[in-house]
Amino acid sequence: MKILVVGKGGREHALIRALAESPSRPELFCFPGSDAIAEWAKPVAAADLPSLIAWMKMHEIDLCVAGEESYLVRDEGLANLCEMNGIPCWGPKKESAQLEASKEFAKQFLARHRIPTAQAASTETLEQALAAIGGIYPTVLKFDGLAAGKGVAVCMDEAAAMEFLDEVFTQRRFGSGKVLVEKFLTGPEVSIFAAVVDEKYLIFTPARDYKRIGDGDMGPNTGGMGAVASRQLIAPEMLETIEREIIMPTIRGLQEDGLPYRGFLYFGLMLTPSGPQVIEYNCRFGDPECQAVMPLVSGNFAEFCLEGARGNLRPDLLDFSSGWSVCVILASAGYPDSSRNGDVISGIETVQDARIYHSGTRRNADGFWETHGGRVLAVVCHGDERAAVVSMAHRAADRITFSGLQRRRDIGILHFDEPNVS
Ligand code: AMP
Ligand code: GLY
Protein backbone atom coordinates (compact mmCIF):
# COMPACT_ATOMS: atom_id res chain seq x y z
CA MET A 1 0.00 0.00 0.00
CA LYS A 2 1.40 3.42 -1.00
CA ILE A 3 0.15 6.49 0.87
CA LEU A 4 0.96 10.14 0.30
CA VAL A 5 0.24 12.66 3.07
CA VAL A 6 -0.16 16.35 2.21
CA GLY A 7 1.24 18.81 4.75
CA LYS A 8 4.41 19.53 6.68
CA GLY A 9 3.62 20.20 10.34
CA GLY A 10 3.27 18.39 13.65
CA ARG A 11 -0.18 17.09 12.73
CA GLU A 12 1.21 15.44 9.60
CA HIS A 13 4.17 14.06 11.58
CA ALA A 14 1.66 12.43 13.97
CA LEU A 15 -0.54 11.11 11.16
CA ILE A 16 2.49 9.68 9.39
CA ARG A 17 3.76 7.97 12.54
CA ALA A 18 0.31 6.37 13.01
CA LEU A 19 0.22 5.27 9.37
CA ALA A 20 3.77 3.91 9.61
CA GLU A 21 2.89 1.89 12.70
CA SER A 22 -0.20 0.37 11.05
CA PRO A 23 0.00 -3.39 10.48
CA SER A 24 -0.40 -2.77 6.72
CA ARG A 25 3.12 -1.25 6.84
CA PRO A 26 2.43 1.16 4.01
CA GLU A 27 5.12 2.80 1.93
CA LEU A 28 4.83 6.49 2.84
CA PHE A 29 5.37 9.71 0.92
CA CYS A 30 4.82 13.30 1.96
CA PHE A 31 4.30 16.59 0.18
CA PRO A 32 5.85 18.99 0.94
CA GLY A 33 7.02 17.27 4.18
CA SER A 34 9.89 18.33 6.43
CA ASP A 35 13.30 17.03 7.48
CA ALA A 36 11.72 15.24 10.45
CA ILE A 37 8.91 13.74 8.39
CA ALA A 38 11.49 12.53 5.86
CA GLU A 39 12.62 9.99 8.46
CA TRP A 40 9.25 8.26 8.01
CA ALA A 41 7.98 9.29 4.58
CA LYS A 42 9.85 10.12 1.37
CA PRO A 43 9.42 13.78 0.46
CA VAL A 44 7.93 14.46 -2.97
CA ALA A 45 9.08 17.55 -4.85
CA ALA A 46 6.22 18.98 -6.88
CA ALA A 47 5.86 22.54 -8.13
CA ASP A 48 2.09 22.68 -7.64
CA LEU A 49 -1.03 20.60 -7.04
CA PRO A 50 -1.51 19.42 -10.67
CA SER A 51 2.10 18.16 -10.80
CA LEU A 52 1.64 16.44 -7.43
CA ILE A 53 -1.43 14.65 -8.79
CA ALA A 54 0.52 13.63 -11.91
CA TRP A 55 3.29 12.28 -9.64
CA MET A 56 0.79 10.29 -7.55
CA LYS A 57 -0.74 8.80 -10.69
CA MET A 58 2.62 7.86 -12.14
CA HIS A 59 3.72 6.23 -8.87
CA GLU A 60 0.41 4.41 -8.38
CA ILE A 61 -0.39 5.95 -5.01
CA ASP A 62 -3.27 4.04 -3.36
CA LEU A 63 -4.35 6.78 -0.98
CA CYS A 64 -3.87 10.51 -0.54
CA VAL A 65 -4.36 11.80 3.03
CA ALA A 66 -5.08 15.52 3.35
CA GLY A 67 -3.40 16.85 6.47
CA GLU A 68 -3.36 20.58 5.85
CA GLU A 69 -6.49 22.48 4.87
CA SER A 70 -5.13 24.90 2.28
CA TYR A 71 -4.74 22.23 -0.44
CA LEU A 72 -8.40 21.26 -0.15
CA VAL A 73 -9.50 24.60 -1.58
CA ARG A 74 -6.53 25.38 -3.86
CA ASP A 75 -6.96 25.13 -7.66
CA GLU A 76 -9.73 22.61 -8.34
CA GLY A 77 -9.23 21.17 -4.84
CA LEU A 78 -6.99 18.28 -3.75
CA ALA A 79 -9.83 15.76 -3.30
CA ASN A 80 -11.54 16.80 -6.56
CA LEU A 81 -8.29 16.40 -8.50
CA CYS A 82 -7.65 13.04 -6.84
CA GLU A 83 -11.12 11.83 -7.84
CA MET A 84 -10.67 12.95 -11.45
CA ASN A 85 -7.53 10.84 -11.50
CA GLY A 86 -8.92 7.79 -9.73
CA ILE A 87 -6.90 8.26 -6.51
CA PRO A 88 -8.85 7.66 -3.26
CA CYS A 89 -8.52 10.73 -1.01
CA TRP A 90 -9.06 11.00 2.75
CA GLY A 91 -10.16 14.63 2.86
CA PRO A 92 -13.26 16.41 1.51
CA LYS A 93 -13.98 18.02 -1.85
CA LYS A 94 -13.45 21.74 -2.39
CA GLU A 95 -17.17 22.56 -2.20
CA SER A 96 -17.45 20.88 1.23
CA ALA A 97 -14.19 22.36 2.52
CA GLN A 98 -15.90 25.79 2.32
CA LEU A 99 -17.16 24.86 5.79
CA GLU A 100 -13.68 25.77 6.96
CA ALA A 101 -12.50 28.15 4.24
CA SER A 102 -15.45 30.53 4.59
CA LYS A 103 -16.85 31.40 7.99
CA GLU A 104 -19.86 32.97 6.26
CA PHE A 105 -20.57 29.73 4.35
CA ALA A 106 -20.31 27.83 7.64
CA LYS A 107 -22.71 30.24 9.41
CA GLN A 108 -25.27 29.87 6.61
CA PHE A 109 -24.93 26.07 6.75
CA LEU A 110 -25.41 26.11 10.54
CA ALA A 111 -28.48 28.35 10.28
CA ARG A 112 -30.01 26.33 7.43
CA HIS A 113 -29.73 23.11 9.42
CA ARG A 114 -30.69 24.67 12.77
CA ILE A 115 -27.44 23.75 14.48
CA PRO A 116 -26.70 25.80 17.62
CA THR A 117 -24.12 28.53 17.03
CA ALA A 118 -23.46 32.16 18.02
CA GLN A 119 -25.44 34.82 16.16
CA ALA A 120 -23.33 36.67 13.60
CA ALA A 121 -23.44 39.44 11.03
CA SER A 122 -21.30 39.60 7.90
CA THR A 123 -19.61 42.97 7.26
CA GLU A 124 -17.49 44.37 4.41
CA THR A 125 -16.13 47.62 5.82
CA LEU A 126 -14.83 48.97 9.10
CA GLU A 127 -17.93 51.16 9.43
CA GLN A 128 -20.30 48.23 8.87
CA ALA A 129 -18.39 46.16 11.42
CA LEU A 130 -18.60 48.91 14.06
CA ALA A 131 -22.33 49.29 13.38
CA ALA A 132 -22.85 45.53 13.78
CA ILE A 133 -20.91 45.55 17.07
CA GLY A 134 -23.23 48.33 18.25
CA GLY A 135 -20.98 49.22 21.17
CA ILE A 136 -21.52 45.85 22.85
CA TYR A 137 -18.34 44.26 24.25
CA PRO A 138 -16.84 41.70 24.49
CA THR A 139 -17.38 40.90 20.83
CA VAL A 140 -15.82 38.37 18.50
CA LEU A 141 -14.45 39.34 15.07
CA LYS A 142 -13.63 36.70 12.48
CA PHE A 143 -11.93 37.13 9.14
CA ASP A 144 -13.92 35.25 6.50
CA GLY A 145 -11.11 33.11 5.09
CA LEU A 146 -8.16 30.89 5.95
CA ALA A 147 -5.76 32.66 8.31
CA ALA A 148 -3.78 29.85 9.94
CA GLY A 149 -5.75 30.10 13.17
CA LYS A 150 -5.02 33.82 13.54
CA GLY A 151 -8.07 35.36 11.89
CA VAL A 152 -10.16 35.57 15.06
CA ALA A 153 -10.07 38.31 17.69
CA VAL A 154 -12.02 38.24 20.94
CA CYS A 155 -12.26 41.99 21.65
CA MET A 156 -12.89 43.26 25.16
CA ASP A 157 -13.30 46.89 24.07
CA GLU A 158 -13.51 49.20 21.08
CA ALA A 159 -9.74 49.81 20.98
CA ALA A 160 -9.11 46.08 20.47
CA ALA A 161 -11.84 45.88 17.83
CA MET A 162 -10.38 48.89 15.98
CA GLU A 163 -6.94 47.28 15.99
CA PHE A 164 -8.21 44.04 14.40
CA LEU A 165 -10.47 45.83 11.92
CA ASP A 166 -7.55 48.01 10.89
CA GLU A 167 -5.41 44.90 10.29
CA VAL A 168 -8.12 43.29 8.18
CA PHE A 169 -9.62 46.20 6.25
CA THR A 170 -6.70 48.67 6.03
CA GLN A 171 -3.53 46.58 6.19
CA ARG A 172 -5.20 43.57 4.50
CA ARG A 173 -3.07 41.26 6.64
CA PHE A 174 -5.04 38.20 5.48
CA GLY A 175 -5.80 39.47 1.95
CA SER A 176 -9.23 40.70 0.92
CA GLY A 177 -12.30 39.38 2.69
CA LYS A 178 -15.24 40.13 4.94
CA VAL A 179 -15.43 40.12 8.73
CA LEU A 180 -18.04 38.25 10.73
CA VAL A 181 -19.14 40.03 13.90
CA GLU A 182 -20.18 37.29 16.29
CA LYS A 183 -21.87 37.19 19.67
CA PHE A 184 -19.44 36.47 22.52
CA LEU A 185 -20.09 33.07 24.12
CA THR A 186 -18.70 31.66 27.35
CA GLY A 187 -17.92 28.17 28.56
CA PRO A 188 -15.30 25.46 28.24
CA GLU A 189 -14.20 24.61 24.72
CA VAL A 190 -13.84 21.17 23.25
CA SER A 191 -12.69 19.83 19.90
CA ILE A 192 -14.56 16.84 18.52
CA PHE A 193 -13.21 14.93 15.54
CA ALA A 194 -15.36 12.70 13.41
CA ALA A 195 -14.15 10.47 10.63
CA VAL A 196 -16.94 11.09 8.11
CA VAL A 197 -17.75 8.73 5.25
CA ASP A 198 -20.81 10.04 3.42
CA GLU A 199 -23.78 9.51 5.80
CA LYS A 200 -21.74 7.63 8.42
CA TYR A 201 -19.29 8.83 11.05
CA LEU A 202 -17.03 7.68 13.86
CA ILE A 203 -16.15 10.00 16.74
CA PHE A 204 -12.49 9.99 17.79
CA THR A 205 -11.28 10.82 21.29
CA PRO A 206 -12.39 14.35 22.27
CA ALA A 207 -9.67 16.93 22.86
CA ARG A 208 -9.13 20.40 24.26
CA ASP A 209 -6.80 22.88 22.64
CA TYR A 210 -5.08 25.73 24.50
CA LYS A 211 -5.20 28.53 21.97
CA ARG A 212 -3.69 31.53 23.77
CA ILE A 213 0.06 32.06 23.91
CA GLY A 214 0.28 32.51 27.68
CA ASP A 215 -0.54 30.72 30.91
CA GLY A 216 -4.03 31.33 32.24
CA ASP A 217 -5.27 31.80 28.65
CA MET A 218 -3.62 35.21 28.43
CA GLY A 219 -2.28 36.97 25.36
CA PRO A 220 -3.09 36.58 21.68
CA ASN A 221 -4.56 33.53 19.95
CA THR A 222 -2.15 31.09 18.34
CA GLY A 223 -2.56 27.96 16.24
CA GLY A 224 -2.60 26.07 19.57
CA MET A 225 -0.03 25.86 22.40
CA GLY A 226 -0.99 22.42 23.66
CA ALA A 227 -3.82 19.93 23.88
CA VAL A 228 -5.36 17.28 26.09
CA ALA A 229 -7.29 14.30 24.77
CA SER A 230 -9.43 11.82 26.68
CA ARG A 231 -12.85 10.15 26.53
CA GLN A 232 -13.24 11.50 30.07
CA LEU A 233 -12.98 15.08 28.85
CA ILE A 234 -16.75 15.16 28.29
CA ALA A 235 -19.50 13.54 30.35
CA PRO A 236 -21.31 10.80 28.36
CA GLU A 237 -24.63 12.72 28.51
CA MET A 238 -22.94 15.81 27.09
CA LEU A 239 -21.44 13.77 24.28
CA GLU A 240 -24.92 12.39 23.50
CA THR A 241 -26.29 15.94 23.33
CA ILE A 242 -23.43 16.98 21.06
CA GLU A 243 -24.10 14.01 18.79
CA ARG A 244 -27.84 14.64 18.64
CA GLU A 245 -27.84 18.43 18.31
CA ILE A 246 -24.64 19.03 16.37
CA ILE A 247 -22.97 16.03 14.76
CA MET A 248 -25.99 14.23 13.32
CA PRO A 249 -27.60 17.41 11.91
CA THR A 250 -24.24 18.33 10.34
CA ILE A 251 -23.89 14.95 8.60
CA ARG A 252 -27.54 15.15 7.45
CA GLY A 253 -26.97 18.74 6.31
CA LEU A 254 -23.98 17.72 4.19
CA GLN A 255 -26.14 15.05 2.54
CA GLU A 256 -29.10 17.40 1.99
CA ASP A 257 -26.89 20.11 0.51
CA GLY A 258 -25.12 17.63 -1.78
CA LEU A 259 -21.74 18.25 -0.14
CA PRO A 260 -19.65 15.08 -0.46
CA TYR A 261 -17.54 14.34 2.58
CA ARG A 262 -14.90 11.69 3.25
CA GLY A 263 -12.29 12.66 5.78
CA PHE A 264 -11.89 14.14 9.23
CA LEU A 265 -14.38 16.80 10.24
CA TYR A 266 -13.47 18.93 13.23
CA PHE A 267 -16.18 20.48 15.38
CA GLY A 268 -14.85 23.38 17.48
CA LEU A 269 -17.46 23.64 20.25
CA MET A 270 -18.17 25.79 23.25
CA LEU A 271 -20.15 24.21 26.09
CA THR A 272 -22.20 27.27 27.00
CA PRO A 273 -24.66 27.45 29.91
CA SER A 274 -27.46 27.00 27.34
CA GLY A 275 -25.86 23.97 25.70
CA PRO A 276 -23.09 23.13 23.24
CA GLN A 277 -22.65 25.52 20.32
CA VAL A 278 -20.49 25.36 17.21
CA ILE A 279 -17.63 27.87 17.16
CA GLU A 280 -16.17 26.58 13.91
CA TYR A 281 -15.81 23.65 11.56
CA ASN A 282 -12.45 22.55 10.22
CA CYS A 283 -12.18 20.08 7.38
CA ARG A 284 -9.20 18.17 8.75
CA PHE A 285 -7.70 17.05 12.02
CA GLY A 286 -6.72 19.75 14.52
CA ASP A 287 -3.15 20.75 15.20
CA PRO A 288 -2.05 20.16 18.02
CA GLU A 289 -5.09 18.00 18.92
CA CYS A 290 -3.98 15.39 16.38
CA GLN A 291 -0.65 15.01 18.18
CA ALA A 292 -2.57 14.40 21.43
CA VAL A 293 -5.22 12.07 19.96
CA MET A 294 -3.17 9.81 17.68
CA PRO A 295 -1.10 8.15 20.45
CA LEU A 296 -4.45 6.92 21.87
CA VAL A 297 -5.45 5.28 18.57
CA SER A 298 -4.41 1.73 17.79
CA GLY A 299 -5.48 -0.82 15.19
CA ASN A 300 -4.97 -0.34 11.49
CA PHE A 301 -5.17 3.40 10.86
CA ALA A 302 -3.80 3.09 7.31
CA GLU A 303 -6.49 0.60 6.31
CA PHE A 304 -9.13 2.70 8.10
CA CYS A 305 -8.27 5.78 6.01
CA LEU A 306 -8.05 3.80 2.76
CA GLU A 307 -11.39 2.10 3.35
CA GLY A 308 -12.94 5.44 4.32
CA ALA A 309 -11.68 7.13 1.18
CA ARG A 310 -13.26 4.29 -0.81
CA GLY A 311 -16.61 4.82 0.92
CA ASN A 312 -16.48 2.23 3.70
CA LEU A 313 -16.49 3.41 7.30
CA ARG A 314 -14.74 0.64 9.27
CA PRO A 315 -14.83 1.34 13.05
CA ASP A 316 -13.78 -2.29 13.57
CA LEU A 317 -10.29 -1.36 12.35
CA LEU A 318 -9.56 1.00 15.26
CA ASP A 319 -9.31 0.94 19.04
CA PHE A 320 -9.11 3.94 21.35
CA SER A 321 -7.25 3.90 24.67
CA SER A 322 -9.26 5.02 27.65
CA GLY A 323 -6.64 7.17 29.40
CA TRP A 324 -5.32 10.68 28.96
CA SER A 325 -2.94 12.20 26.46
CA VAL A 326 -1.22 15.55 27.01
CA CYS A 327 0.60 17.52 24.32
CA VAL A 328 2.86 20.47 25.18
CA ILE A 329 3.91 22.76 22.33
CA LEU A 330 7.30 24.47 22.27
CA ALA A 331 7.15 27.64 20.18
CA SER A 332 9.86 29.91 18.82
CA ALA A 333 10.74 33.49 19.78
CA GLY A 334 8.24 36.05 18.55
CA TYR A 335 5.33 33.62 18.04
CA PRO A 336 2.46 34.24 17.23
CA ASP A 337 3.19 37.67 15.70
CA SER A 338 6.29 36.33 13.98
CA SER A 339 8.64 33.40 14.41
CA ARG A 340 12.39 33.10 14.62
CA ASN A 341 14.20 30.49 12.57
CA GLY A 342 17.66 29.10 13.12
CA ASP A 343 17.79 28.66 16.92
CA VAL A 344 19.57 25.38 17.62
CA ILE A 345 17.47 22.90 19.62
CA SER A 346 19.07 20.70 22.24
CA GLY A 347 17.83 17.81 24.33
CA ILE A 348 15.48 16.07 21.89
CA GLU A 349 17.46 12.82 22.01
CA THR A 350 17.43 12.81 25.83
CA VAL A 351 13.64 12.43 25.94
CA GLN A 352 12.83 8.73 26.29
CA ASP A 353 9.35 8.60 27.78
CA ALA A 354 7.45 10.92 25.44
CA ARG A 355 6.63 11.17 21.76
CA ILE A 356 8.06 14.17 20.00
CA TYR A 357 6.42 15.44 16.86
CA HIS A 358 8.13 18.13 14.81
CA SER A 359 5.96 21.11 13.84
CA GLY A 360 8.58 23.54 12.59
CA THR A 361 12.16 22.31 12.59
CA ARG A 362 14.89 21.60 10.11
CA ARG A 363 18.36 20.10 10.23
CA ASN A 364 21.10 22.68 9.86
CA ALA A 365 24.33 22.23 7.90
CA ASP A 366 25.96 20.59 10.96
CA GLY A 367 23.13 18.06 11.29
CA PHE A 368 21.53 19.68 14.37
CA TRP A 369 17.83 20.39 14.68
CA GLU A 370 16.96 24.09 14.62
CA THR A 371 13.76 26.12 14.80
CA HIS A 372 11.97 26.64 11.51
CA GLY A 373 8.55 28.08 12.18
CA GLY A 374 6.28 29.39 14.95
CA ARG A 375 5.34 26.14 16.61
CA VAL A 376 8.49 24.05 16.78
CA LEU A 377 7.89 20.77 18.64
CA ALA A 378 5.06 18.86 20.32
CA VAL A 379 5.93 16.74 23.36
CA VAL A 380 3.25 14.12 24.04
CA CYS A 381 2.70 11.62 26.86
CA HIS A 382 -0.21 9.34 27.63
CA GLY A 383 -1.33 7.14 30.49
CA ASP A 384 -4.21 6.41 32.86
CA GLU A 385 -4.20 9.34 35.30
CA ARG A 386 -4.42 12.91 34.06
CA ALA A 387 -2.26 14.44 36.81
CA ALA A 388 0.53 11.89 36.28
CA VAL A 389 0.45 12.33 32.51
CA VAL A 390 0.53 16.12 32.87
CA SER A 391 3.68 16.02 35.00
CA MET A 392 5.30 13.46 32.72
CA ALA A 393 4.68 15.64 29.65
CA HIS A 394 5.94 18.81 31.32
CA ARG A 395 9.01 17.02 32.69
CA ALA A 396 9.80 15.68 29.22
CA ALA A 397 9.32 19.16 27.72
CA ASP A 398 11.74 20.57 30.35
CA ARG A 399 14.55 18.59 28.75
CA ILE A 400 14.34 20.47 25.48
CA THR A 401 15.81 23.94 25.12
CA PHE A 402 16.48 26.57 22.48
CA SER A 403 16.93 30.31 22.55
CA GLY A 404 13.62 32.18 22.77
CA LEU A 405 11.59 29.04 23.61
CA GLN A 406 8.00 29.83 24.60
CA ARG A 407 5.76 27.31 26.29
CA ARG A 408 2.76 27.11 28.59
CA ARG A 409 3.04 25.48 32.00
CA ASP A 410 -0.69 24.96 32.53
CA ILE A 411 -1.48 22.56 29.67
CA GLY A 412 -3.63 19.78 31.08
CA ILE A 413 -4.21 21.72 34.30
CA LEU A 414 -6.25 24.83 33.41
CA HIS A 415 -9.98 24.25 32.74
CA PHE A 416 -10.37 21.06 34.70
CA ASP A 417 -12.51 22.48 37.45
CA GLU A 418 -15.44 23.71 35.34
CA PRO A 419 -18.97 22.34 35.08
CA ASN A 420 -19.76 19.87 32.28
CA VAL A 421 -16.16 18.80 32.10
CA SER A 422 -14.34 15.64 33.27
P1 AMP B 1 -11.91 29.93 15.85
O1 AMP B 1 -10.68 30.12 15.00
O2 AMP B 1 -13.18 30.28 15.19
O3 AMP B 1 -11.91 28.58 16.54
O4 AMP B 1 -11.74 30.91 17.09
C1 AMP B 1 -10.58 30.93 17.86
C2 AMP B 1 -10.93 31.07 19.31
O5 AMP B 1 -11.63 32.28 19.54
C3 AMP B 1 -11.87 29.99 19.83
O6 AMP B 1 -11.22 28.82 20.17
C4 AMP B 1 -12.47 30.68 21.03
O7 AMP B 1 -11.58 30.64 22.12
C5 AMP B 1 -12.59 32.10 20.57
N1 AMP B 1 -13.94 32.31 20.03
C6 AMP B 1 -14.38 32.11 18.77
N2 AMP B 1 -15.69 32.40 18.65
C7 AMP B 1 -16.09 32.80 19.87
C8 AMP B 1 -17.35 33.25 20.41
N3 AMP B 1 -18.43 33.37 19.65
N4 AMP B 1 -17.38 33.58 21.72
C9 AMP B 1 -16.28 33.50 22.51
N5 AMP B 1 -15.09 33.08 22.07
C10 AMP B 1 -14.98 32.74 20.77
N1 GLY C 1 -5.98 23.56 17.06
C1 GLY C 1 -6.84 24.30 16.26
C2 GLY C 1 -6.77 24.02 14.84
O1 GLY C 1 -6.22 23.05 14.40
O2 GLY C 1 -7.31 24.81 14.08
Side-chain angles (χ1 to χ4, degrees), residues 8-271:
K8 61 179 182 329
R11 166 184 49 213
E12 288 73 28
H13 200 197
L15 290 173
I16 283 170
R17 284 281 299 269
L19 292 168
E21 287 160 7
S22 297
S24 313
R25 298 283 166 216
E27 191 180 351
L28 293 170
F29 302 87
C30 191
F31 170 81
S34 68
D35 289 347
I37 286 174
E39 294 178 357
W40 298 88
K42 288 185 201 119
V44 174
D48 50 25
L49 214 43
S51 37
L52 177 68
I53 300 286
W55 186 94
M56 284 199 269
K57 215 172 160 187
M58 188 160 69
H59 291 81
E60 298 179 328
I61 294 296
D62 298 296
L63 171 68
C64 175
V65 174
E68 190 180 315
E69 60 275 19
S70 63
Y71 298 94
L72 296 171
V73 291
R74 202 174 287 178
D75 303 328
E76 286 95 341
L78 175 66
N80 309 58
L81 284 166
C82 280
E83 182 175 66
M84 284 176 221
N85 289 277
I87 305 162
C89 180
W90 185 242
K93 300 262 179 63
K94 184 175 185 173
E95 49 277 29
S96 313
Q98 295 307 315
L99 276 185
E100 169 164 10
S102 166
K103 298 210 181 266
E104 192 178 10
F105 180 93
K107 273 288 166 196
Q108 289 168 355
F109 177 92
L110 287 158
R112 189 161 57 245
H113 300 292
R114 299 180 193 289
I115 301 166
T117 187
Q119 270 179 355
S122 173
T123 67
E124 292 184 41
T125 62
L126 192 142
E127 293 72 29
Q128 281 181 10
L130 285 176
I133 296 168
I136 298 170
Y137 294 95
T139 190
V140 183
L141 304 179
K142 299 187 171 182
F143 175 70
D144 184 34
L146 294 179
K150 294 172 199 153
V152 174
V154 177
C155 304
M156 303 314 286
D157 52 33
E158 185 164 321
M162 286 302 286
E163 194 182 325
F164 183 79
L165 293 170
D166 183 62
E167 276 182 14
V168 174
F169 288 126
T170 316
Q171 300 169 33
R172 294 281 174 204
R173 181 174 171 199
F174 310 115
S176 64
K178 302 179 194 172
V179 165
L180 237 56
V181 175
E182 192 169 292
K183 188 168 177 251
F184 174 75
L185 303 175
T186 54
E189 287 181 56
V190 64
S191 309
I192 301 281
F193 303 95
V196 177
V197 178
D198 308 326
E199 77 291 355
K200 300 196 178 114
Y201 63 90
L202 172 70
I203 299 175
F204 275 45
T205 311
R208 168 157 307 131
D209 177 16
Y210 291 77
K211 286 206 166 81
R212 303 297 185 103
I213 187 75
D215 282 352
D217 281 346
M218 302 302 278
N221 261 329
T222 69
M225 290 299 290
V228 178
S230 174
R231 286 255 168 227
Q232 296 164 59
L233 201 59
I234 309 179
E237 310 79 61
M238 176 56 85
L239 193 56
E240 270 171 33
T241 308
I242 291 170
E243 233 181 308
R244 193 178 57 247
E245 294 183 1
I246 292 172
I247 299 179
M248 281 154 60
T250 300
I251 307 296
R252 260 200 314 273
L254 290 169
Q255 296 276 307
E256 280 171 25
D257 293 355
L259 295 171
Y261 209 107
R262 288 180 190 170
F264 289 117
L265 178 56
Y266 165 146
F267 300 77
L269 307 179
M270 196 171 271
L271 310 182

Side-chain angles (χ1 to χ4, degrees), residues 199-393:
E199 77 291 355
K200 300 196 178 114
Y201 63 90
L202 172 70
I203 299 175
F204 275 45
T205 311
R208 168 157 307 131
D209 177 16
Y210 291 77
K211 286 206 166 81
R212 303 297 185 103
I213 187 75
D215 282 352
D217 281 346
M218 302 302 278
N221 261 329
T222 69
M225 290 299 290
V228 178
S230 174
R231 286 255 168 227
Q232 296 164 59
L233 201 59
I234 309 179
E237 310 79 61
M238 176 56 85
L239 193 56
E240 270 171 33
T241 308
I242 291 170
E243 233 181 308
R244 193 178 57 247
E245 294 183 1
I246 292 172
I247 299 179
M248 281 154 60
T250 300
I251 307 296
R252 260 200 314 273
L254 290 169
Q255 296 276 307
E256 280 171 25
D257 293 355
L259 295 171
Y261 209 107
R262 288 180 190 170
F264 289 117
L265 178 56
Y266 165 146
F267 300 77
L269 307 179
M270 196 171 271
L271 310 182
T272 76
S274 56
Q277 303 216 22
V278 176
I279 297 276
E280 64 167 346
Y281 289 117
N282 290 320
C283 296
R284 34 98 188 158
F285 224 118
D287 186 335
E289 292 96 322
C290 182
Q291 293 92 308
V293 171
M294 286 320 296
L296 297 173
V297 180
S298 56
N300 198 333
F301 184 60
E303 196 66 30
F304 178 84
C305 296
L306 178 64
E307 285 283 315
R310 287 177 173 158
N312 308 312
L313 184 74
R314 293 278 308 277
D316 56 297
L317 289 171
L318 297 184
D319 281 308
F320 297 91
S321 302
S322 58
W324 291 83
S325 179
V326 174
C327 163
V328 177
I329 292 286
L330 312 185
S332 70
Y335 186 71
D337 289 338
S338 61
S339 58
R340 194 166 75 198
N341 292 342
D343 289 309
V344 174
I345 305 166
S346 61
I348 293 181
E349 58 296 332
T350 68
V351 178
Q352 304 291 344
D353 48 359
R355 281 192 173 223
I356 296 178
Y357 298 118
H358 290 237
S359 306
T361 66
R362 73 174 167 202
R363 275 201 199 274
N364 66 19
D366 302 320
F368 295 113
W369 290 113
E370 63 178 30
T371 61
H372 192 62
R375 289 183 291 174
V376 177
L377 294 166
V379 179
V380 187
C381 289
H382 68 100
D384 292 339
E385 298 286 338
R386 180 173 56 84
V389 177
V390 166
S391 14
M392 207 188 346

